Amino acid sequence: MRAYFSLLRIRFINGLQYRAAALAGISTQFAWGFMEILAFSAFYRANPDAFPMEFSQLVQYIWLQQAFLGVIVPWSWGGNITETIVNGNIAYELVRPMNLYNRWYFESLANRLANAAMRCLPILAVAFLLPAPFRMNLPANLGGLGLFAVSLTLTVLVVSAYVILDYISVFYTMSRYNAIFSVAADFLAGGYIPLSFFPATLRRILELSPFGAMQNLPLRIFNGEIAGSDAMWGIALQVFWLIVMVLLGKLLMKHSLKRVVAQGG
Amino acid sequence: MITLSGINKTFRVTKRQAGFAHAVKALFSREYEVIKALSDVNFTVGDGEMVGYIGPNGAGKSTTIKIMCGILTPDSGVCDINGRTPWRDRVAHVAQIGVVFGQRSQLWWDVPVVDSLELIRDIYKTDEATYRRNLDELTQLLDLGEILKTPARSLSLGQRMRCEIAASLIHSPRILFLDEPTIGLDAVSKIAVRQFIKRLNAQHGTTVILTTHDMQDIEALTQRILLIGKGRILLDGSLEELKKRSSERKTLVVKYSGSPPPLVTGMAISGEKDGRLVLELDPAIVRVNEGIAHLAAHCELQDVSVSDITAEEMVAALYKEYQI
């Protein structure tokens, strides 16, 4: 366990070094959040009844998403894990007395935490101070906060497991830019538009899929769209997908390590 | 104790001709070439031995090392290292070995070296006392001192390589694999690294297997040589034995003015370098002093130097002999 904790620590230290990148990231996320909110507000002004959620709920969704972007996105920060497969440095990871899946999982998790640690608070602070229609508010029902915390934690675990499947695919494709995996997942998990805005049938399918078990759930619990037993059901689904994806990842990892070729000399 | 017997390994490599048309064609049907990286490799290395593993590029050196490290699974054959099969028992096996891949880095690029070392300590579950002791010893012998606090990205190649070696020894491995540990180093760093490896082997009885293209490494470090070519072990013997085997020929470099001298039997021209004549002399036929006397009598000698065959030439001769 000490080894994993130590990995977490060094990844964290490593991540904290990129202050300029964090600053740039924060401003990008502000700009992105504003643009999204402004675009939606134009639609809302045209016809406020045509939308599945209140404007204030949407504002909560977007700011929360931007604040926790570091931990919830279904892609990885710092691509050097996939790079080790492509350039052959994986040789060094394989001579360590560690399970490679667990190692990657923890590294991926640590990257996320380091990233979010630097970006989360400034974004939340400003979002809470903005003028009225754009201001972020706490949920009306504070009991939802606990469920939100549980669901957010599970989201982080689920996306980390998902990203490892992406890493493992690199063993087969030998390309570190498997963008389709992350872009598709981001869209299907409600990264661009909340799932509530999707056509009903598609929405229901997605809510049951692994993508619905990502950012979709905690963000919609926070803004009050999903509550009570629906939230509990969603959390159970998250646990289910987490187990499935970890087991699948471990299985695939075993298979791919048998055919691993350390590239380049 | 390391035993390899009947190890075979093939790789499948995609091939295509240059050009757009072939690239498009390759989208639909790929041509593969099967490369036999290792065929029927057998050898045994005892505890505390230091072995030089040599061969030209692409001979299979790194592949063998990777199999012994548990990274690659061979197609067939048996490999037993201290009672374990590396690729089956990877985690337990690698806890006992240290590896330096000269062309790669195990240090975290952006953090001070000591942070990387602490991570490695935790990965190997090395206790604090052993870690301290090893680190102190390594710091002293490899002259690490201040550079431990520097991020790996700011180190020179020589400094980094010393740190890489330290990183591979933090957990007191019983076997150390060095895959081209002196690649790209300057003369001073090479000597420092060699001295260190020698000492490690003598004091701790660490088994060392070393691949290199630098024959001085071999001369300085190893008594035993394994020569591999085209995936086969061609020779297994001591450096002295091999030197003897590859004749006692001397090389004469002669500088003269006027017309070139006539030669006697036992001498042959092997080339010319900067206006100097390079001659091969076989002492079994003509003695060195006689040869020089003959040259001096027949031309105006300005300079002459005599040298033994070097390990490098010996290996070149071996490569030639085995056509690898």
Side-chain angles (χ1 to χ4, degrees):
Chain A
M1 222 36 229
R2 195 173 74 169
Y4 295 117
F5 186 75
S6 195
L7 260 177
L8 223 93
R9 183 175 151 266
I10 198 166
R11 271 279 171 194
F12 205 81
I13 295 175
N14 206 37
L16 288 181
Q17 290 201 115
Y18 307 118
R19 282 172 306 181
L23 218 60
I26 291 172
S27 36
T28 310
Q29 280 162 242
F30 265 121
W32 178 266
F34 262 118
M35 265 168 34
E36 220 176 335
I37 291 176
L38 286 175
F40 272 111
S41 85
F43 291 130
Y44 270 87
R45 222 168 294 159
N47 181 5
D49 301 324
F51 294 94
M53 60 169 100
E54 298 281 322
F55 186 64
S56 65
Q57 288 180 304
L58 184 77
V59 168
Q60 282 178 319
Y61 187 100
I62 289 173
W63 284 133
L64 209 59
Q65 181 182 50
Q66 295 308 315
F68 288 102
L69 196 75
V71 277
I72 59 179
V73 288
W75 66 72
S76 64
W77 299 103
N80 51 7
I81 291 181
T82 43
E83 246 160 65
T84 62
I85 303 177
V86 177
N87 67 22
N89 265 340
I90 189 175
Y92 261 131
E93 303 197 351
L94 286 171
V95 297
R96 305 287 183 225
M98 264 182 132
N99 177 301
L100 195 61
Y101 183 92
N102 297 351
R103 171 168 186 168
W104 280 359
Y105 195 92
F106 271 79
E107 284 192 43
S108 171
L109 206 60
N111 273 349
R112 287 171 187 282
L113 295 179
N115 195 298
M118 286 188 292
R119 301 182 186 197
C120 175
L121 289 178
I123 294 178
L124 280 183
V126 176
F128 275 113
L129 294 173
L130 285 172
F134 306 118
R135 187 191 301 150
M136 160 106 184
N137 292 304
L138 280 175
N141 168 17
L142 281 178
L145 269 181
L147 284 176
F148 161 74
V150 173
S151 170
L152 180 68
T153 311
L154 280 166
T155 297
V156 181
L157 298 177
V158 166
V159 286
S160 298
Y162 178 78
V163 163
I164 306 246
L165 296 179
D166 188 5
Y167 295 161
I168 294 171
S169 77
V170 179
F171 276 120
Y172 301 92
T173 62
M174 279 301 154
S175 154
R176 71 200 84 172
Y177 305 110
N178 295 336
I180 187 76
F181 255 95
S182 42
V183 173
D186 207 12
F187 181 72
L188 299 175
Y192 303 121
I193 306 165
L195 288 193
S196 351
F197 289 79
F198 279 50
T201 322
L202 183 58
R203 194 197 75 216
R204 247 169 261 133
I205 295 171
L206 285 176
E207 280 171 350
L208 289 174
S209 79
F211 306 110
M214 297 178 181
Q215 53 183 285
N216 164 61
L217 193 69
L219 299 182
R220 285 170 69 199
I221 288 178
F222 189 93
N223 74 6
E225 259 191 282
I226 299 176
S229 61
D230 285 350
M232 298 299 281
W233 166 242
I235 286 172
L237 257 180
Q238 282 189 304
V239 174
F240 170 76
W241 282 120
L242 175 63
I243 294 169
V244 168
M245 280 198 280
V246 169
L247 289 180
L248 184 66
K250 292 205 165 215
L251 204 74
L252 287 173
M253 184 77 114
K254 219 173 199 173
H255 176 254
S256 54
L257 284 185
K258 262 188 213 137
R259 37 163 290 166
V260 71
V261 179
Q263 305 264 312
Chain B
M1 183 84 161
I2 302 173
T3 315
L4 271 75
S5 64
I7 296 281
N8 288 292
K9 176 78 187 172
T10 51
F11 291 114
R12 213 169 60 142
V13 178
T14 49
K15 289 236 149 169
R16 72 171 170 81
Q17 311 258 305
F20 181 73
H22 286 285
V24 173
K25 192 177 149 244
L27 282 177
F28 302 100
S29 91
R30 295 240 163 131
E31 281 171 34
Y32 291 98
E33 190 187 25
V34 174
I35 293 182
K36 220 160 171 10
L38 295 177
S39 42
D40 195 26
V41 168
N42 302 291
F43 61 81
T44 307
V45 178
D47 287 339
E49 247 191 293
M50 186 129 78
V51 177
Y53 195 34
I54 57 172
N57 290 322
K61 297 187 299 290
S62 295
T63 305
T64 320
I65 296 278
K66 281 171 194 154
I67 286 175
M68 290 191 283
C69 294
I71 298 171
L72 292 181
T73 309
D75 301 337
S76 62
V78 178
C79 173
D80 181 291
I81 298 180
N82 294 330
R84 291 197 187 91
T85 302
W87 57 91
R88 285 215 189 92
D89 238 344
R90 188 181 66 80
V91 171
H93 168 66
V94 296
Q96 305 286 323
I97 64 169
V99 192
V100 176
F101 295 110
Q103 316 215 37
R104 312 188 182 287
S105 180
Q106 59 185 319
L107 303 169
W108 287 61
W109 200 238
D110 292 320
V111 298
V113 176
V114 68
D115 280 333
S116 291
L117 297 184
E118 280 176 12
L119 171 67
I120 289 168
R121 170 197 67 194
D122 292 345
I123 287 177
Y124 285 96
K125 303 186 177 79
T126 307
D127 61 83
E128 190 60 30
T130 316
Y131 171 72
R132 278 279 137 230
R133 199 178 56 235
N134 285 347
L135 187 62
D136 286 347
E137 190 186 347
L138 292 164
T139 306
Q140 197 198 343
L141 293 178
L142 289 167
D143 193 16
L144 300 178
E146 282 302 302
I147 62 179
L148 286 179
K149 293 174 199 152
T150 318
R153 59 158 192 264
S154 332
L155 298 178
S156 74
L157 186 61
Q159 290 173 325
R160 210 197 74 211
M161 194 57 76
R162 282 183 278 143
C163 293
E164 299 278 356
I165 292 175
S168 299
L169 291 167
I170 283 295
H171 59 293
S172 336
R174 293 168 64 190
I175 304 173
L176 179 63
F177 294 102
L178 298 164
D179 195 0
E180 304 192 32
T182 56
I183 196 165
L185 298 190
D186 65 24
V188 179
S189 305
K190 272 185 185 173
I191 290 170
V193 166
R194 281 182 202 136
Q195 276 175 347
F196 173 77
I197 296 171
K198 232 175 163 161
R199 218 174 137 151
L200 177 83
N201 175 260
Q203 290 189 347
H204 297 278
T206 311
T207 309
V208 178
I209 295 186
L210 163 105
T211 80
T212 183
H213 289 292
D214 187 329
M215 285 311 133
Q216 286 172 343
D217 285 351
I218 297 283
E219 259 177 304
L221 289 172
T222 61
Q223 280 306 309
R224 180 173 166 205
I225 291 181
L226 283 168
L227 173 71
I228 186 173
K230 292 201 177 134
R232 289 175 185 283
I233 298 284
L234 300 172
L235 267 179
D236 182 350
S238 76
L239 188 63
E240 293 310 308
E241 229 171 279
L242 291 181
K243 267 194 175 172
K244 249 178 227 144
R245 208 187 115 96
S246 52
S247 83
E248 303 260 319
R249 239 170 251 264
K250 306 273 177 193
T251 304
L252 267 64
V253 180
V254 182
K255 195 178 179 196
Y256 62 92
S257 56
S259 56
L263 302 179
V264 289
T265 40
M267 279 169 124
I269 296 176
S270 72
E272 238 188 87
K273 205 164 70 183
D274 315 327
R276 289 157 199 264
L277 201 57
V278 182
L279 301 172
E280 290 285 318
L281 185 145
D282 187 347
I285 303 173
V286 53
R287 289 217 300 273
V288 178
N289 58 349
E290 287 170 356
I292 295 174
H294 173 81
L295 292 174
H298 292 86
C299 73
E300 203 175 310
L301 270 189
Q302 289 179 340
D303 188 21
V304 63
S305 69
V306 185
S307 54
D308 261 335
I309 187 166
T310 61
E312 204 131 343
E313 287 164 324
M314 184 191 80
V315 168
L318 283 173
Y319 288 0
K320 212 169 164 185
E321 189 183 332
Y322 289 102
Q323 297 180 328
I324 54 175

